[in-house]
Amino acid sequence: MKIKILLADDQPILADGIGSVLSACEEFEIAGIASDGVEAVKLTQKLRPDVVLMDIRMPNMNGVVATKEIKRICPDVKVLVLTTFDDSDYILGAINSGASGYLLKDTSYSALVDAIKNAYAGDTILPAKIARSIASAASLVTNDRQIKLKRKFGFSDREVEIAIMLYEGFTNKQIASALKLTDGTSRNYISAIYVKMDCANRGEAVEKMRDCLNGE
């Protein structure tokens, strides 16, 4: 069975070009092309593609908002952000909105094909320099938040960094990728955080951190 792909890009030449290139792969089927975020959401709901290749900067509704809406109404659809911009705010927004990964438009054909297949399989796609951008953005959290969490729960420097990423909605795999940790090491840190917070799961941990950061 072919992987159905929806392209969302406000530049028809680029969208048609990417569509033509991907059509050469026997494992792919181009289900449709959307010219903005609003149309991307509508076509996703109508066509039910497996993967949406989503541009970030589009009129009417940008790719971050469109990704969040698509994941709300069609949670099984994978969204892979494809853009010329490697801006950290957009990266964080897209990933936190449920995107399966982020690629730049200068990605090679073979890397794009692999990324689509991997996203369809459930993997997170974060090229090295994008992972570094996420790590840098995560490190820019205010000292006030770090101090409050350290004082309240006795976290180490690495634990408070991971705790804040948990609070911001990163998945375990995204944390591991951004901080260049193995999945096992990431899980061990998160388990240690839960123990120090006396929590059984992420939901309880986030709630306790929210209370701490809000001064309760």
Side-chain angles (χ1 to χ4, degrees):
M1 188 173 67
K2 293 188 176 184
I3 299 173
K4 292 174 61 178
I5 301 169
L6 173 68
L7 303 176
D9 197 309
D10 64 324
Q11 299 181 57
I13 293 177
L14 287 177
D16 290 343
I18 294 171
S20 297
V21 168
L22 292 179
S23 294
C25 179
E26 294 182 353
E27 297 174 66
F28 295 157
E29 173 190 342
I30 304 303
I33 297 177
S35 60
D36 60 32
V38 173
E39 190 177 12
V41 174
K42 289 179 179 178
L43 286 180
T44 298
Q45 198 164 16
K46 177 182 178 181
L47 302 173
R48 298 286 171 163
D50 299 304
V51 178
V52 177
L53 276 184
M54 180 75 73
D55 189 20
I56 282 288
R57 297 195 181 188
M58 295 186 292
N60 301 320
M61 179 187 290
N62 69 37
V64 174
V65 178
T67 295
K68 188 172 185 178
E69 187 63 13
I70 285 171
K71 295 302 291 185
R72 183 183 70 81
I73 61 177
C74 302
D76 292 335
V77 173
K78 310 298 184 184
V79 180
L80 192 57
V81 175
L82 187 64
T83 184
T84 55
F85 302 93
D86 56 351
D87 184 280
S88 294
D89 290 339
Y90 281 117
I91 295 169
L92 290 167
I95 297 298
N96 288 338
S97 293
S100 296
Y102 193 106
L103 290 174
L104 300 177
K105 285 183 177 177
D106 60 2
T107 299
S108 68
Y109 168 74
S110 60
L112 178 58
V113 168
D114 287 343
I116 292 170
K117 291 178 181 179
N118 291 337
Y120 176 68
D123 293 339
T124 299
I125 315 303
L126 288 174
K129 71 175 181 178
I130 291 175
R132 287 195 296 271
S133 294
I134 292 177
S136 296
S139 71
L140 293 177
V141 294
T142 62
N143 286 334
D144 182 59
R145 292 168 92 189
Q146 294 183 14
I147 290 169
K148 282 184 177 180
L149 292 176
K150 281 184 177 182
R151 184 178 297 156
K152 176 74 173 180
F153 302 111
F155 291 147
S156 66
D157 288 344
R158 178 62 91 185
E159 286 169 350
V160 76
E161 185 176 18
I162 292 173
I164 289 173
M165 294 181 78
L166 287 172
Y167 182 76
E168 295 290 352
F170 285 84
T171 66
N172 292 10
K173 290 189 82 170
Q174 289 164 0
I175 291 171
S177 177
L179 300 181
K180 297 183 179 180
L181 303 173
T182 65
D183 288 345
T185 299
S186 175
R187 286 195 299 269
N188 289 340
Y189 274 118
I190 292 168
S191 295
I193 288 168
Y194 290 169
V195 169
K196 288 186 176 182
M197 298 184 73
D198 191 24
C199 292
N201 54 53
R202 178 184 292 245
E204 290 182 21
V206 169
E207 188 63 31
K208 285 193 174 185
M209 281 190 273
R210 183 178 295 113
D211 290 344
C212 172
L213 295 175
N214 290 336
E216 297 180 14

